[in-house]
C-alpha cells in the first residue's frame, strides 16, 4: 500500500524540447540514439531553460523511469548526478520536490545502482531536504531517501572485488529526525524505512538505532491518527528489538 497518493505526472507535449517518445520507443533505441536523446533531456534540465520547462521535462521523464531497464540507465548515468547538483543549486520548492520524486521512482525500479553515485553527495542532499520548510520537499526527500537506504540495505557489503555502498552513522541517524512529531506522512516514510532496513541489514540497524528513535516510534504508535502508520511503527519496533543486545 502506498503511503502517499500522488497525482500522475502530467506534461505539455508542446513544451518538450525534444520528441515525445513513449517508453517502448525509448527502450527500442540503439545506443547512439539513446545517448542523443538523454543528452537532450540533460540539456533541458541542466541548461538555462526556464523552471517551467525543467518541471515539464521532469514530469515527462518520470513516466519513462517506471521500468527497470530505463531506471537502470538513468540512475547509473550523468543524469542522476545532474539531479543531485540541481537539488543543491535551485531553491524553487516545486522543482526540488519534483526532482526527488523522479529520483525516488528511478531508484525504486532500478535493479542495480552503482556506489559511485554516492560521490555526488546524494544521501546528504536528501537528508538535508528533511530540514526544508516546504512540506512537499520534506515528503519527497524522505521518500527518495528511504528508497535509496532500502536498496543499500539489501546489498552484500562483503562482496569481494566490488565497490560497496558506505553509509555513515550520521546519515542513518537522520531517520530519527523524520520520526519526530510533525507531518505523519513524513513519519510514515521514515518508519517504513526503519522497518525495511531492520529486515535486511543488521550492521545498519546497529548504527542507526538510538534511544530517541525507539522513543519516537513508541510515540507514533501511541498517538498517530493513521492506523497503518501505527502498525508500521510497531513492526519497526519489533524488528529493532530483534537486533537489540
Amino acid at each position: 500500500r502506498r503511503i502517499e497518493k500522488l497525482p500522475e505526472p502530467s506534461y505539455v507535449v508542446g513544451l518538450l524540447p525534444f520528441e515525445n517518445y513513449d517508453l517502448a520507443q525509448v527502450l527500442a533505441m540503439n545506443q547512439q540514439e539513446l545517448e542523443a536523446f538523454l543528452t537532450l533531456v540533460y540539456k533541458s534540465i541542466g541548461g538555462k531553460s526556464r523552471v517551467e520547462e525543467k518541471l515539464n521535462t521532469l514530469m515527462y521523464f518520470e513516466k519513462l523511469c517506471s521500468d527497470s531497464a530505463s531506471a537502470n540507465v538513468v540512475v547509473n548515468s550523468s543524469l542522476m548526478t545532474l539531479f543531485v547538483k540541481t537539488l543543491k543549486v535551485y531553491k524553487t520548492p516545486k522543482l526540488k520536490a519534483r526532482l526527488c520524486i523522479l529520483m525516488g521512482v528511478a531508484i525504486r525500479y532500478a535493479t542495480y545502482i552503482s556506489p559511485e553515485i554516492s560521490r555526488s553527495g546524494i544521501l546528504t542532499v536528501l537528508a538535508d531536504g528533511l530540514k526544508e520548510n516546504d512540506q512537499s520537499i520534506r515528503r519527497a526527500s524522505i521518500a527518495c531517501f528511504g528508497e535509496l537506504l532500502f536498496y543499500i540495505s539489501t546489498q552484500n557489503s562483503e562482496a569481494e572485488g566490488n565497490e560497496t555502498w558506505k553509509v555513515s552513522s550520521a546519515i542513518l541517524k537522520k531517520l530519527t529526525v523524520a520520526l519526530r512529531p510533525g507531518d505523519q506522512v513524513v513519519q510514515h516514510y521514515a518508519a517504513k524505512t526503519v522497518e525495511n532496513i531492520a529486515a535486511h541489514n543488521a550492521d545498519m540497524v546497529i548504527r542507526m538505532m538510538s534511544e530517541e528513535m525507539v522513543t519516537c516510534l513508541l510515540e507514533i504508535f501511541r498517538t498517530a491518527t493513521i492506523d497503518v502508520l501505527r502498525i508500521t511503527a510497531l513492526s519497526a519496533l519489533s524488528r529493532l528489538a530483534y537486533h537489540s543486545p
Side-chain angles (χ1 to χ4, degrees), residues 10-46:
S10 61
Y11 60 93
V12 179
V13 175
L15 291 181
L16 294 175
F18 42 75
E19 191 72 27
N20 179 33
Y21 297 114
D22 60 26
L23 178 59
Q25 290 174 307
V26 172
L27 293 177
M29 290 178 177
N30 59 39
Q31 188 64 29
Q32 185 177 2
E33 292 170 334
L34 181 60
E35 288 180 1
F37 169 65
L38 293 179
T39 297
L40 292 175
V41 174
Y42 188 103
K43 289 180 178 178
S44 177
I45 298 170

Side-chain angles (χ1 to χ4, degrees), residues 127 130-131 172-181 186-187 190 212-213 216:
L130 301 176
K131 299 182 291 187
L172 288 171
K173 291 184 185 300
K174 296 293 184 181
L175 283 170
T176 301
V177 174
L179 289 169
R180 291 170 183 165
V186 170
Q187 288 180 310
E212 184 184 4
M213 174 176 281
C216 285

Side-chain angles (χ1 to χ4, degrees), residues 27-131:
L27 293 177
M29 290 178 177
N30 59 39
Q31 188 64 29
Q32 185 177 2
E33 292 170 334
L34 181 60
E35 288 180 1
F37 169 65
L38 293 179
T39 297
L40 292 175
V41 174
Y42 188 103
K43 289 180 178 178
S44 177
I45 298 170
K48 296 181 179 180
S49 57
R50 295 179 304 158
V51 170
E52 289 75 17
E53 180 186 315
K54 296 180 191 296
L55 282 168
N56 197 60
T57 297
L58 289 170
M59 286 189 280
Y60 159 76
F61 203 58
E62 183 182 329
K63 288 179 173 289
L64 301 182
C65 290
S66 56
D67 173 88
S68 60
S70 59
N72 284 338
V73 171
V74 172
V75 298
N76 296 297
S77 72
S78 58
L79 276 170
M80 202 66 167
T81 303
L82 171 66
F83 297 158
V84 176
K85 187 184 299 183
T86 306
L87 274 175
K88 293 178 182 177
V89 173
Y90 281 82
K91 304 299 181 184
T92 309
K94 284 186 178 180
L95 182 61
K96 291 173 75 75
R98 199 81 244 168
L99 279 163
C100 288
I101 291 171
L102 170 56
M103 291 164 62
V105 170
I107 291 168
R108 185 183 314 133
Y109 283 95
T111 57
Y112 174 73
I113 305 174
S114 171
E116 289 185 9
I117 190 62
S118 63
R119 297 173 187 168
S120 69
I122 185 171
L123 286 167
T124 300
V125 169
L126 292 173
D128 287 344
L130 301 176
K131 299 182 291 187

Side-chain angles (χ1 to χ4, degrees), residues 66-232:
S66 56
D67 173 88
S68 60
S70 59
N72 284 338
V73 171
V74 172
V75 298
N76 296 297
S77 72
S78 58
L79 276 170
M80 202 66 167
T81 303
L82 171 66
F83 297 158
V84 176
K85 187 184 299 183
T86 306
L87 274 175
K88 293 178 182 177
V89 173
Y90 281 82
K91 304 299 181 184
T92 309
K94 284 186 178 180
L95 182 61
K96 291 173 75 75
R98 199 81 244 168
L99 279 163
C100 288
I101 291 171
L102 170 56
M103 291 164 62
V105 170
I107 291 168
R108 185 183 314 133
Y109 283 95
T111 57
Y112 174 73
I113 305 174
S114 171
E116 289 185 9
I117 190 62
S118 63
R119 297 173 187 168
S120 69
I122 185 171
L123 286 167
T124 300
V125 169
L126 292 173
D128 287 344
L130 301 176
K131 299 182 291 187
E132 293 277 356
N133 292 325
D134 187 86
Q135 183 186 74
S136 65
I137 299 176
R138 293 197 305 273
R139 289 182 175 184
S141 294
I142 185 59
C144 185
F145 189 52
E147 291 284 359
L148 185 53
L149 287 178
F150 173 53
Y151 172 83
I152 294 169
S153 74
T154 65
Q155 303 307 294
N156 181 6
S157 61
E158 298 178 354
E160 294 185 4
N162 293 327
E163 184 179 4
T164 56
W165 282 91
K166 294 178 177 61
V167 185
S168 69
S169 298
I171 286 292
L172 288 171
K173 291 184 185 300
K174 296 293 184 181
L175 283 170
T176 301
V177 174
L179 289 169
R180 291 170 183 165
D183 185 350
Q184 290 191 37
V185 172
V186 170
Q187 288 180 310
H188 200 168
Y189 278 121
K192 177 57 71 174
T193 302
V194 171
E195 179 189 23
N196 288 337
I197 291 175
H200 291 90
N201 195 304
D203 174 67
M204 289 177 71
V205 172
I206 291 170
R207 292 189 295 115
M208 77 176 178
M209 187 163 46
S210 66
E211 182 179 344
E212 184 184 4
M213 174 176 281
V214 172
T215 300
C216 285
L217 288 168
L218 283 169
E219 187 65 11
I220 289 171
F221 175 70
R222 190 179 69 84
T223 64
T225 58
I226 304 172
D227 286 342
V228 68
L229 169 55
R230 297 181 68 242
I231 293 170
T232 301

